[in-house]
Amino acid sequence: MKQFAQLLETLALTPSRNRKIEALADYFTKTPDPDRGYALAVMTGALSFAHVKPARLKEVVLAEVDPHLFALSYDYVGDLGETIALIWPHKGGTRALPALTDLIELLNTTPKAKIADLIAELLTSAEINERWALVKLATGGLRIGVSERLAKTALAEMSGKDLKDIEEIWHGIKMPYSELFA
């Protein structure tokens, strides 16, 4: 999860299209399957979670933070992920977050009644940039300047394949895209 959080931070802070393609290609090259496939799914909007919604995240945070302070902070910052990452009262880094694949499985398999406890535990364990990435992952609202086309372009650059070839097979391959990376 640490590498995925660093990737999202790099993509969010990098205005250059070419630099974003380089960062994506580098991540896809260095990250093993299935983590890189799930990262691709997250960035292209192909992954969502049934029990983790922005309202649920707000509930978790409001159980730990004064509602007025949260409202002021959210109004000032304007982004739920950044607000939660910065306002969460517990110091992060107490233990490493699970790998991206394991984290996705946790978010998909945890019963609705226990998801709030899981989110609180993950937020407490995470560093600030990992909290931000966790909220972005959970809500799907990345807003990091990566479109599906840009991700495909990075895959083409990484693999040396033609972009048209990747686009031709794109819709026939299922998450976590192991066949695509092979």
Side-chain angles (χ1 to χ4, degrees):
M1 180 63 186
K2 191 173 286 297
Q3 292 82 12
F4 181 68
Q6 289 170 342
L7 173 66
L8 291 186
E9 187 174 16
T10 298
L11 294 170
L13 298 174
T14 302
S16 166
R17 178 183 181 279
N18 290 339
R19 178 61 189 113
K20 286 179 189 271
I21 291 170
E22 288 173 16
L24 287 166
D26 185 56
Y27 178 83
F28 293 143
T29 300
K30 292 180 180 175
T31 304
D33 288 330
D35 278 5
R36 64 184 175 177
Y38 283 117
L40 178 62
V42 169
M43 287 183 277
T44 59
L47 182 68
S48 63
F49 303 101
H51 303 306
V52 185
K53 302 295 179 205
R56 176 64 65 144
L57 292 167
K58 286 180 188 176
E59 288 174 19
V60 170
V61 174
L62 291 175
E64 300 288 330
V65 176
D66 177 69
H68 186 66
L69 176 62
F70 177 78
L72 288 171
S73 300
Y74 188 33
D75 185 50
Y76 183 77
V77 173
D79 179 79
L80 183 63
E82 286 182 44
T83 303
I84 291 173
L86 295 171
I87 204 168
W88 187 253
H90 306 288
K91 183 168 175 52
T94 55
R95 66 180 176 88
L97 290 180
L100 185 59
T101 302
D102 298 333
L103 185 60
I104 288 169
E105 185 177 336
L106 268 174
L107 292 172
N108 276 327
T109 59
T110 301
K112 188 175 183 176
K114 295 185 179 192
I115 201 77
D117 292 336
L118 173 66
I119 292 168
E121 178 187 333
L122 292 170
L123 289 172
T124 299
S125 298
E127 298 287 342
I128 290 175
N129 71 331
E130 292 173 317
R131 286 183 201 148
W132 175 77
L134 179 64
V135 173
K136 295 294 188 180
L137 168 72
T139 61
L142 296 180
R143 294 179 12 203
I144 56 171
V146 174
S147 64
E148 187 175 287
R149 175 74 176 202
L150 190 78
K152 291 175 190 175
T153 303
L155 290 170
E157 185 170 303
M158 175 202 84
S159 66
K161 302 288 183 193
D162 191 44
L163 179 59
K164 289 187 292 183
D165 294 338
I166 291 173
E167 287 182 327
E168 283 180 16
I169 63 169
W170 181 261
H171 296 289
I173 298 177
K174 302 272 188 250
M175 208 176 4
Y177 308 112
S178 299
E179 298 90 4
L180 179 67
F181 287 105

